[in-house]
Amino acid sequence: GNCHLDIIRATKYIDSCALRLIVLVPRESSSKLVLKYPDSVLRKKGSEAGFSLELSSHPGYAIVRMADKYTQMNINNASWEFVLLGIGLKDSSLVVSYNGRLICNTSDGRKFCLAMGSMMEGVPVIQRSPFKKINEALEEKLTEKNVDDTNDAWAFTIDLDGTIYPTCVPHLCLGISPFPVLY
């Protein structure tokens, strides 16, 4: 109720540093994330217009990047960049577009993806760049297999109730990890 302004400000700063990682959780979980304005999102589906990922399940919070810079990955003949997603203050919300399948960051085109293409409970959700070939001389089939293996990991559905879930595993949805990450 009647907290001193300094207490309110300090609490806000602490909250802004304690980000929670976004992972897959069961649809019936109390940890699931729900968008605040799903009707607006679905009206803009297919357009380039961006929308904020503010949450109704966690008032005052939104889906955010967990770091300012992307991490570079190199495996086999492919490289890509990624960043983990979490929830943070709504002022830092990602602005994305949605075409009915892909959720893309409007500032850099990077897409939501399941980490390492894995579709199991507890798997982190990331924002990722497309694959790039490292060495044209290496076997091209290896890179093609990497792309084929992760196609389903990019596909998400946004329900009318504001729940976001991987299209191939509708019994799971985006939620928060019970363990905070302090920066």
Side-chain angles (χ1 to χ4, degrees):
N2 294 335
C3 291
H4 190 274
L5 288 176
D6 290 339
I7 300 295
I8 293 170
R9 186 176 300 119
T11 302
K12 184 176 179 180
Y13 289 140
I14 290 168
D15 281 347
S16 71
C17 295
L19 298 175
R20 292 196 180 264
L21 186 65
I22 294 178
V23 297
L24 293 182
V25 299
R27 290 281 293 253
E28 62 278 356
S29 171
S30 62
S31 296
K32 79 176 178 180
L33 300 179
V34 179
L35 295 177
K36 186 170 184 177
Y37 305 109
D39 52 336
S40 170
V41 170
L42 296 172
R43 269 199 315 275
K44 293 179 180 180
K45 183 166 75 171
S47 78
E48 295 296 318
F51 54 88
S52 167
L53 293 176
E54 188 175 346
L55 301 168
S56 67
S57 57
H58 300 77
Y61 293 88
I63 297 175
V64 301
R65 289 175 26 173
M66 298 271 293
D68 289 334
K69 294 185 180 186
Y70 287 92
T71 300
Q72 176 81 30
M73 290 294 296
N74 298 303
I75 297 178
N76 297 329
N77 189 31
S79 73
W80 66 92
E81 296 174 335
F82 77 95
V83 67
L84 292 166
L85 296 177
I87 66 166
L89 295 176
K90 70 179 183 179
D91 299 342
S92 302
S93 176
L94 286 172
V95 177
V96 299
S97 63
Y98 177 62
N99 67 5
R101 184 171 190 270
L102 302 174
I103 301 173
C104 301
N105 186 329
T106 57
S107 69
D108 63 14
R110 307 266 165 79
K111 297 170 182 62
F112 278 36
C113 185
L114 299 176
M116 299 308 291
S118 183
M119 298 182 199
M120 300 183 317
E121 186 177 336
V123 168
V125 179
I126 61 174
Q127 197 173 32
R128 212 194 83 184
S129 67
F131 284 116
K132 297 176 195 165
K133 292 181 185 175
I134 297 172
N135 181 347
E136 292 291 332
L138 291 176
E139 187 177 344
E140 191 167 310
K141 290 180 186 174
L142 207 48
T143 301
E144 296 303 321
K145 180 179 177 352
N146 289 343
V147 171
D148 290 342
D149 287 350
T150 62
N151 276 340
D152 290 337
W154 302 81
F156 290 89
T157 300
I158 299 176
D159 258 354
L160 290 172
D161 70 357
T163 305
I164 303 172
Y165 64 90
T167 306
C168 287
V169 284
H171 66 283
L172 298 175
C173 66
L174 272 59
I176 57 169
S177 170
F179 309 107
V181 177
L182 295 176
Y183 282 93

